[in-house]
Amino acid sequence: MFTDELAKRISGRVFSKTPVILQTEAAECGLACLAMVAGRYGHEMDLPAIRRRFTASIKGTTLKDLVQVGGQLRLATRALRLDLDDLDKLRLPCILHWRHNHFVVLTRVQKNRITIIDPATGSRQVARAEVSKQFTGVALEAWPTEEFEEKNERIRIRITDLIRRTSGIGVAALQVMAISLLLELATIAMPIGFQLVLDEVVVAADYDLLTLIVIAMALMLVLQVVTAFARAFQTMVIGSRLILQWKVSLFDQLMRLPLSFFEKRHVGDVVSRFGSLDTVQRTLTTSAIQSFLDGLMSVFLIFMMWLYGGWLLIVALVSTGFYTIIRAAIYGHYRSISEETIIHTAQESSHFMESVRGIGSLKVLNLESRRRGTWINHLVERVNAELRVQKFDAWFSAVGSLLFGADRILIIFLGVRAILGGDISVGMFVAFLAYKDQFATRVNGFVNTILQFRMLSLHGERVADIALADPEETDRRLGPAGAHDTSDRRPSSLEVRNVHFRYADNEASVLKGISLSVSAGECIGIAGPSGSGKTTLLKLLAGLSLPTTGQVLIDGVPLSSLGLAAYRDRVGCVLQEDRLFAGSIFENITAFDSSADPAWVEACAQMAAIHNEIVAMPMGYETLVGDMGSSLSGGQKQRVVLARAIYRRPSLLLLDEATSNLDHANEQAINAAVRCLPITRIIIAHREATLAMTDRVLCFDGAGDLIEQSRSLTTNSMAQSSAD
Ligand SMILES: Nc1ncnc2c1ncn2[C@@H]1O[C@H](COP(=O)(O)OP(=O)(O)OP(=O)(O)O)[C@@H](O)[C@H]1O
């Protein structure tokens, strides 16, 4: 019974293809492979859909995780170790472990080669010799269980929704439509002029009629030029309106996404997804209205062709119909090669950006040529992918020219015979040819735009990765009156209640039931071995990550009810790898506040022990700092970042190794200043001198637990370190 059911399902979809799903996040090749296998059996999903069910770790997915996710997708799985020669015995499609750090889907095994879908690059054939180098010998078969459901869970953003949400677009589109109709009128009238000249003027040698027709044609020409200009102008206006509104709202959404979204993605990919909006806008503004008119005009042109050429119309209709069918048949392939182009472009630009950002490390390690090699590989893949699309276009245009050229010759042959037979006049035939050419161009344009529109769904899916990702809960949901007035700068108390945290479903917990209570105005230190979870705890305290279970409370109010935006207004934070932004030191300390208070800026810089060094610089507080070409030393940057945190007049200050780059004297100065701040402070530090100035020290024990360290221990180790 079970096998019957299974067999039915498999045989029912025997001609279906494994969909190509390309990975977005650096470490989600395993999930993409599973989504492809599930898609092959009829459970269509994309990465956002599978991500909703299962968050992959930034470090990647193991075979065990894939078995577990497969189970959730109602796929039965079998992991096995095998030799290269046994690949043809596998149940396809199946997942292969590749290069020890990657997964691919095996879709076909031939004598000397196999076909795989690599979620990083797309479908390709790999020669046996290459397979023996890349395949680790581990494979995962997956097939539907009885509970497996065929369904479509793809999450995409609809272009119509985007348009509907854009204000002022309807009227502008109507204007373009009206102008375009005028333009069409002029275009349609021209061939009638030619026909009249040939049939009436030439035959009857009527000079007056000739003048009249030429004047009418000149007027039509003026109308054509003026309307074409007005339309181009109006299209520009619509385009800029669309792109401005869409980009602003997508940027707003991007800024609302949690830190984990960015940690898991390559920067080039995020940039490329943003760029997809440009393509959507271009297609909509340049082609949408025109193609609508093309469709409309085609019907009218069929009528005109019938009027002037009679049955010659059939030839024109057959060739255009044939062209449309071929175009529609190859759409699927065209879409997938276009998608590969986008992904390769994103990978190439990610690698490029990373190389520029890490130029110092590259130089010092003498890695330029190795890095160059990898970048060239990415570039070649990108160029090849673009070439594939261009070749396809070239082939298609050649087929189109052949088809329409052949039908023209046939029409001339049949048309001239019809003239000689006295069925139609020369003028009518010339007009017919003009309308037929217009018809071919219109239908071509219409079909192209329909395809471009369908391709928009590809860009819609890419934008959806940002637009439909779950944003942070930042709204201010104020609790009991007065409890969290954001202008209230009194020190806050903080409580962490039985917090567990893990970075992904398939990872072990980093924090295991941490509880911690910090009274208002207290200064506590957090210590522990590297990788024990100090930064992770600080991210939870700063609201950058949310606990898997448990609660963080500020002044007795859970962070979830206070809202992250209101909470962050009260927190000053120095992250381990905090950044300055392009601008002056003054602007960086004030975080680009336009109504900054210079005296308070100076006071903060003094507390952060950086004031004297700033005023000694030729441009003082106006000295420019930047992300790449920063003019500040590591320790100076750290102190400017600290001044920026204090400038906010926080009621809670969180410091993650904020003095790690400093010399003893500066560290002492900052410690003394921080010690005197009348606010609650939580300081992560390795150095004993910093820990010694806190009221108490909590230490991670390496097993995810936080234990209070006795003062004597700290002082002893301090004494020890001074003795050293
Ligand atoms: N974004 C992340 N995704 C997955 N795992 C992470 C992430 N960030 C940190 N980890 C892991 O969480 C654990 C704790 O890291 P954390 O940065 O909190 O340690 P730490 O105590 O601050 O170390 P250090 O003193 O070296 O800064 C480590 O095992 C680390 O590999």
Side-chain angles (χ1 to χ4, degrees):
M1 154 76 192
F2 163 70
T3 38
D4 279 0
E5 170 70 12
L6 192 63
K8 243 189 276 159
R9 251 180 224 166
I10 294 171
S11 60
R13 305 195 58 83
V14 89
F15 294 114
S16 71
K17 269 182 70 181
T18 309
V20 178
I21 297 176
L22 298 177
Q23 68 196 82
T24 310
E25 296 182 1
E28 60 187 9
C29 55
L31 290 187
C33 287
L34 258 187
M36 286 191 251
V37 176
R40 162 67 179 74
Y41 293 113
H43 183 166
E44 287 177 43
M45 52 167 77
D46 48 15
L47 285 167
I50 200 166
R51 234 179 266 141
R52 267 165 208 254
R53 288 165 171 264
F54 187 86
T55 54
S57 158
I58 193 172
K59 293 171 187 160
T61 327
T62 62
L63 205 65
K64 198 167 137 229
D65 301 325
L66 290 188
V67 170
Q68 194 192 335
V69 183
Q72 287 180 22
L73 298 175
R74 308 284 177 240
L75 289 171
T77 45
R78 182 167 74 122
L80 59 164
R81 185 168 277 286
L82 72 160
D83 285 336
L84 205 60
D85 296 333
D86 293 331
L87 280 178
D88 54 352
K89 299 196 182 80
L90 287 169
R91 189 191 306 240
L92 300 184
C94 79
I95 299 173
L96 300 185
H97 192 221
W98 207 244
R99 283 197 313 257
H100 293 280
N101 61 0
H102 195 49
F103 289 108
V104 298
V105 175
L106 174 67
T107 55
R108 193 166 174 217
V109 181
Q110 287 162 287
K111 202 155 172 271
N112 291 322
R113 60 187 59 231
I114 64 169
T115 308
I116 58 165
I117 305 177
D118 185 334
T121 54
S123 175
R124 67 169 198 271
Q125 294 196 328
V126 189
R128 284 239 163 201
E130 175 78 10
V131 179
S132 66
K133 281 191 220 148
Q134 312 272 8
F135 177 46
T136 61
V138 176
L140 183 76
E141 288 184 327
W143 64 95
T145 62
E146 210 170 351
E147 295 88 43
F148 183 84
E149 271 180 67
E150 289 182 13
K151 55 184 167 185
N152 190 344
E153 272 191 89
R154 297 171 75 169
I155 298 171
R156 63 179 59 173
I157 192 154
R158 291 174 49 154
I159 304 300
T160 40
D161 291 345
L162 273 179
I163 298 173
R164 218 175 298 131
R165 277 192 253 143
T166 315
S167 66
I169 200 81
V171 177
L174 277 179
Q175 282 169 355
V176 173
M177 190 78 87
I179 298 169
S180 300
L181 277 174
L182 267 182
L183 190 61
E184 297 297 349
L185 196 72
T187 322
I188 292 279
M190 284 294 190
I192 300 178
F194 290 133
Q195 189 256 328
L196 287 176
V197 169
L198 286 175
D199 288 352
E200 308 293 332
V201 176
V202 176
V203 175
D206 187 338
Y207 288 94
D208 291 342
L209 184 61
L210 177 64
T211 316
L212 204 68
I213 294 174
V214 168
I215 291 174
M217 284 170 80
L219 286 177
M220 281 297 164
L221 180 71
V222 173
L223 179 71
Q224 208 170 4
V225 173
V226 171
T227 45
F229 176 78
R231 187 170 73 171
F233 191 80
Q234 196 61 1
T235 310
M236 257 168 2
V237 172
I238 298 188
S240 43
R241 208 172 278 178
L242 277 182
I243 207 64
L244 209 66
Q245 291 191 31
W246 289 356
K247 285 220 158 158
V248 168
S249 60
L250 195 65
F251 186 77
D252 285 347
Q253 160 75 358
L254 189 70
M255 291 295 109
R256 283 199 301 263
L257 295 179
L259 183 66
S260 56
F261 176 91
F262 298 91
E263 282 175 341
K264 290 180 183 167
R265 279 164 182 76
H266 291 299
V267 59
D269 190 61
V270 177
V271 173
S272 140
R273 276 165 200 279
F274 224 82
S276 275
L277 271 188
D278 290 315
T279 316
V280 176
Q281 174 261 331
R282 257 198 317 273
T283 313
L284 283 180
T285 47
T286 53
S287 341
I289 296 170
Q290 181 56 42
S291 102
F292 175 75
L293 289 172
D294 280 343
L296 210 71
M297 287 303 293
S298 303
V299 180
F300 188 66
L301 286 170
I302 290 177
F303 173 72
M304 296 302 277
M305 282 194 292
W306 177 75
L307 207 66
Y308 283 99
W311 49 266
L312 281 178
L313 163 71
I314 297 172
V315 182
L317 287 184
V318 168
S319 60
T320 347
F322 196 52
Y323 174 83
T324 312
I325 291 170
I326 306 180
R327 193 94 226 218
I330 51 160
Y331 163 72
H333 181 65
Y334 194 70
R335 187 182 200 274
S336 82
I337 57 174
S338 305
E339 184 168 17
E340 280 175 29
T341 309
I342 298 173
I343 303 272
H344 286 303
T345 309
Q347 283 171 346
E348 183 267 318
S349 50
S350 268
H351 191 275
F352 179 88
M353 287 182 217
E354 204 179 37
S355 304
V356 174
R357 293 193 70 83
I359 191 71
S361 314
L362 291 188
K363 282 192 181 297
V364 81
L365 295 169
N366 223 355
L367 278 183
E368 295 101 317
S369 62
R370 208 182 293 170
R371 192 81 188 165
R372 175 181 173 272
T374 324
W375 178 72
I376 288 178
N377 286 346
H378 282 304
L379 185 67
V380 168
E381 286 193 18
R382 170 187 172 167
V383 170
N384 276 337
E386 282 169 353
L387 262 182
R388 274 197 290 279
V389 175
Q390 283 162 10
K391 272 190 216 158
F392 211 76
D393 284 341
W395 269 107
F396 207 78
S397 137
V399 169
S401 310
L402 190 70
L403 205 64
F404 289 123
D407 97 323
R408 192 164 227 276
I409 294 173
L410 189 64
I411 285 176
I412 289 178
F413 175 72
L414 297 172
V416 174
R417 284 174 71 103
I419 297 172
L420 296 178
D423 293 342
I424 53 173
S425 69
V426 176
M428 284 168 80
F429 182 60
V430 171
F432 173 84
L433 274 186
Y435 285 128
K436 191 251 148 204
D437 284 348
Q438 273 198 38
F439 178 69
T441 318
R442 303 287 176 138
V443 171
N444 195 2
F446 187 63
V447 173
N448 271 345
T449 314
I450 300 277
L451 289 188
Q452 273 178 17
F453 261 74
R454 296 198 61 187
M455 294 287 287
L456 283 192
S457 65
L458 169 67
H459 292 282
E461 273 170 33
R462 292 185 60 75
V463 173
D465 185 55
I466 299 175
L468 302 182
D470 291 332
E472 292 180 316
E473 290 268 350
T474 47
D475 34 325
R476 293 157 197 265
R477 283 173 278 155
L478 296 181
H484 350 84
D485 176 3
T486 48
S487 58
D488 174 10
R489 298 298 169 188
R490 277 173 301 169
S492 303
S493 68
L494 193 82
E495 196 184 341
V496 175
R497 263 190 216 158
N498 195 23
V499 159
H500 289 257
F501 180 80
R502 60 172 179 219
Y503 279 99
D505 293 346
N506 60 335
E507 285 217 348
S509 291
V510 178
L511 304 180
K512 299 172 187 155
I514 299 273
S515 291
L516 157 75
S517 181
V518 187
S519 337
E522 203 180 1
C523 176
I524 71 157
I526 294 182
S530 174
S532 55
K534 303 181 294 295
T535 299
T536 306
L537 176 63
L538 188 112
K539 281 194 212 159
L540 291 179
L541 297 182
L544 289 174
S545 312
L546 295 179
T548 312
T549 57
Q551 269 189 330
V552 177
L553 300 100
I554 183 152
D555 292 332
V557 181
L559 241 177
S560 48
S561 352
L562 182 58
L564 286 175
Y567 175 62
R568 288 187 188 144
D569 271 347
R570 307 176 65 171
V571 176
C573 185
V574 175
L575 300 172
Q576 206 167 19
E577 283 162 17
D578 228 324
R579 287 179 183 278
L580 294 175
F581 298 101
S584 66
I585 293 181
F586 186 87
E587 285 171 322
N588 267 284
I589 294 179
T590 62
F592 299 86
D593 176 3
S594 50
S595 53
D597 170 3
W600 179 231
V601 171
E602 226 177 281
C604 294
Q606 257 153 2
M607 278 186 261
I610 182 78
H611 172 73
N612 292 343
E613 283 166 62
I614 296 176
V615 289
M617 293 175 190
M619 291 178 64
Y621 278 90
E622 291 311 315
T623 306
L624 291 176
V625 290
D627 182 25
M628 290 289 295
S630 177
S631 50
L632 301 182
S633 74
Q636 286 171 333
K637 260 191 254 173
Q638 230 174 14
R639 281 173 286 159
V640 173
V641 170
L642 178 63
R644 177 174 72 184
I646 303 173
Y647 179 85
R648 295 163 57 79
R649 299 182 200 269
S651 49
L652 169 65
L653 185 65
L654 305 170
L655 305 181
D656 189 356
E657 298 187 30
T659 52
S660 58
N661 290 341
L662 300 185
D663 57 285
H664 187 64
N666 273 318
E667 188 188 10
Q668 288 290 73
I670 289 176
N671 284 344
V674 170
R675 171 98 207 123
C676 299
L677 285 174
I679 54 176
T680 314
R681 289 136 297 164
I682 297 178
I683 299 166
I684 292 177
H686 284 294
R687 298 208 196 156
E688 295 298 350
T690 306
L691 293 172
M693 65 97 176
T694 59
D695 298 328
R696 61 194 167 103
V697 176
L698 300 160
C699 189
F700 273 98
D701 63 358
D705 286 329
L706 196 56
I707 40 181
E708 185 141 0
Q709 201 171 330
S710 75
R711 247 306 81 144
S712 59
L713 235 159
T714 319
T715 346
N716 282 348
S717 42
M718 233 195 113
Q720 179 67 38
S721 66
S722 336
D724 290 346

